[in-house]
Amino acid sequence: MILVTGATGQFGSKTINHLINKGVRPSEISALVRNAATAQNLRSRGVEIKVGDYKDYDSLVKAFQGVEKLLLVSSNDREAVENRTVQHINVIKAAKEAKVKYIVYTSFVRKTNFKNSSIAAFQNSHVETEAYLIDSGIDYTILQNGIYLEMIPVFAGEKVAETGTILFPAKEGKASYVLREELAEAAAHVLTSEGHKEQIYSLTNSASVSFFEIAQAIGDQLGKDVKYQSLEADVFESKMKQIGVPDLYIGLFTMWATAQAQGTMEVVNDTLEGFLGRKPTTMPQFIAQVYSLPGRTL
Ligand SMILES: NC(=O)c1ccc[n+]([C@@H]2O[C@H](COP(=O)([O-])OP(=O)(O)OC[C@H]3O[C@@H](n4cnc5c(N)ncnc54)[C@H](OP(=O)(O)O)[C@@H]3O)[C@@H](O)[C@H]2O)c1
């Protein structure tokens, strides 16, 4: 039995689709969800639904009974990064108690100098989880996933077609954006093939891109000039405040833009390509898909 956590989220649900596409029978898959009512689609496909919360240890031990392999999708808790570490450790401890044999963990791509970056605290939570998993005695694979291509429309802003401008304080920094769908496919590959135990994989695209290139690609799709302006972080933040963006999001945008400016996600290798058996979707291909959809929201 393979259990996927975060199964009603995007990464988890896509991984389950890929497991089924790779020939795993739905009856051999179970899905950890917080609210069973949101998992009807999975249930109707024959996937077993287990209810559990990363914050509720006993619910996890119960949910993990009979599980051989577990995909731990990192928590999306935005309140405090320390919360995430505690939640992940709960999952690993509970898996050990339930005698799970193998855990695949979705971490985040990182460079050795990550401690000097704007995402140091966020990265620390992954570092601590990885260390706990490695010391747990359970077989593991760590997937250090690159930043999702799907974040680009969020960072570019929904009004880019109207204004022809992207405001984002990423300077000239580059990042290796990668499609979430393909990272989920890679997770399913690791869960269904041999040779991945005690491995740490950095899963990235084959090129890193700047927001100058992103603006150019969006402009090409929209058939208009799109300019990229990298304002100083404080000027960016007050502009965002003026247009009513909530403080939580302003903080997150500045944090990710600064990380890109610092080059902390500028990591390129061909591991993902090897797992997929094809080139990963590039930034311009993704932009062409998103910005040419009928009825799109930009
Ligand atoms: N690489 C990147 O660029 C990037 C970007 C964004 C996020 N991430 C990370 O990658 C993870 C997966 O991405 P995603 O796009 O699938 O995010 P997502 O759609 O927000 O899914 C996150 C999943 O985690 C589950 N979850 C959160 N807290 C939980 C808890 N206390 N107990 C049990 N389940 C819990 C959620 O459950 P519910 O369905 O019940 O809410 C949801 O299913 C995220 O959680 C985040 O850590 C990576």
Side-chain angles (χ1 to χ4, degrees), residues 1 105 119 149 184 186-187 229 231 241 282 284:
M1 178 68 78
Y105 172 62
I119 54 170
L149 271 166
Q229 280 186 337
L231 306 172
K241 228 178 164 59
T282 63

Side-chain angles (χ1 to χ4, degrees), residues 5-12 32-35 38 52-55 73-78 84 87 106-108 122 126 145-148 151 180 183:
T5 75
T8 41
Q10 307 206 56
F11 191 93
L32 186 83
V33 305
R34 285 192 281 191
N35 176 1
T38 60
D53 191 309
Y54 296 164
K55 296 177 190 162
V73 174
S74 54
S75 169
N76 61 3
D77 195 311
R78 291 200 178 89
R84 296 204 315 164
Q87 291 173 24
T106 65
S107 183
F108 193 71
F122 161 88
H126 284 305
N145 289 340
I147 185 162
Y148 297 158
M151 298 308 293
R180 174 167 38 209
L183 291 169

Side-chain angles (χ1 to χ4, degrees), residues 167 231 233-251 253-254:
L167 298 179
L231 306 172
D234 55 341
V235 180
F236 169 78
E237 289 185 343
S238 54
K239 271 205 181 267
M240 292 294 114
K241 228 178 164 59
Q242 268 168 27
I243 59 170
V245 177
D247 286 349
L248 172 69
Y249 289 99
I250 298 175
F253 286 166
T254 306

